[in-house]
Amino acid sequence: MMFLDEDDGVFWYSIQDVNPEPWESPESSVGRKGGKIFVQHHSSRRMVAYQQSVKEEFVKQNPNFLNMGATPIRVSFYLHRQVPIVELSNGNKRQGKFVDATNCQKALEDALQGILYKNDTNNVSVSTHLTQSVDVKPFILISVDLDITEPSVVIVMRERLTAPEPTLTESLAWDVNDGIF
């Protein structure tokens, strides 16, 4: 679900039923080639699956989203994370680990890169609010505020909201090349 708060020009997006996950460092392996030793880094499978899920659900649940392109933006993430119940090898169960907000923020920022904004370096101000419990329903709420002083850009962004619904390819295509940003 996406909506624009007309009073303050903030875009709100939600992603339901996706549990926020913390960023994980890439896995590494050592190999040999031509008699030399080298280190090769591989993305965590769990992180790749989480970020793919975020991208797919964001597009599906926010069909009229605006790709902010290279526009400087202020972003706030409101994360509701369900802490997993882990089953131990002896059959007992225990509560999984709590995670920190900054690692969840990084994983989400990386997942939204190329979808909501061109690059997460466009996020000039970021805040993250994390609620986590075994009983929490997984949910992500995102607010995006254009960090600009040029009113004409806000007018163009509002016009895009009322335009016919673009395809995913069209949404991802407009950014620096359309002459506004």
Side-chain angles (χ1 to χ4, degrees):
M1 174 187 78
M2 185 215 93
F3 68 91
L4 170 64
D5 184 335
E6 292 288 338
D7 293 333
D8 58 11
V10 175
F11 294 89
W12 289 89
Y13 301 95
S14 69
I15 308 173
Q16 299 179 32
D17 301 321
V18 173
N19 201 26
E21 293 292 338
W23 183 85
E24 295 178 348
S25 58
E27 299 166 357
S28 300
S29 63
V30 177
R32 289 182 179 261
K33 187 173 186 177
K36 296 183 181 183
I37 297 175
F38 66 94
V39 177
Q40 188 171 10
H41 299 284
H42 312 277
S43 297
S44 158
R45 287 183 186 145
R46 193 179 103 191
M47 185 62 19
V48 169
Y50 166 70
Q51 291 179 339
Q52 186 62 36
S53 175
V54 166
K55 288 178 184 195
E56 289 171 2
E57 289 301 317
F58 181 86
V59 171
K60 184 167 77 175
Q61 295 180 31
N62 300 281
N64 295 320
F65 77 94
L66 295 176
N67 181 320
M68 299 298 171
T71 304
I73 57 175
R74 291 186 293 264
V75 181
S76 293
F77 298 116
Y78 301 88
L79 309 175
H80 299 268
R81 181 175 181 272
Q82 186 177 59
V83 177
I85 299 295
V86 179
E87 188 168 337
L88 304 173
S89 59
N90 63 5
N92 291 340
K93 294 181 181 180
R94 70 167 177 81
Q95 179 176 301
K97 295 181 179 181
F98 283 77
V99 299
D100 64 272
T102 55
N103 281 338
C104 287
Q105 171 188 314
K106 180 61 180 157
L108 186 56
E109 278 187 298
D110 288 351
L112 294 171
Q113 192 163 272
I115 299 287
L116 185 57
Y117 37 78
K118 184 173 184 170
N119 189 295
D120 59 7
T121 59
N122 301 114
N123 302 348
V124 296
S125 174
V126 182
S127 64
T128 301
H129 312 272
L130 175 63
T131 301
Q132 51 188 332
S133 161
V134 173
D135 302 322
V136 167
K137 181 179 187 226
F139 185 81
I140 299 170
L141 184 64
I142 305 164
S143 73
V144 178
D145 184 10
L146 300 175
D147 188 32
I148 55 174
T149 57
E150 179 57 51
S152 64
V153 174
V154 174
I155 292 168
V156 169
M157 296 294 270
R158 286 189 177 147
E159 287 173 358
R160 289 182 190 265
L161 278 174
T162 59
E165 187 175 317
T167 65
L168 176 59
T169 304
E170 291 169 337
S171 296
L172 297 176
W174 74 269
D175 57 18
V176 180
N177 299 325
D178 72 357
I180 296 173
F181 304 104

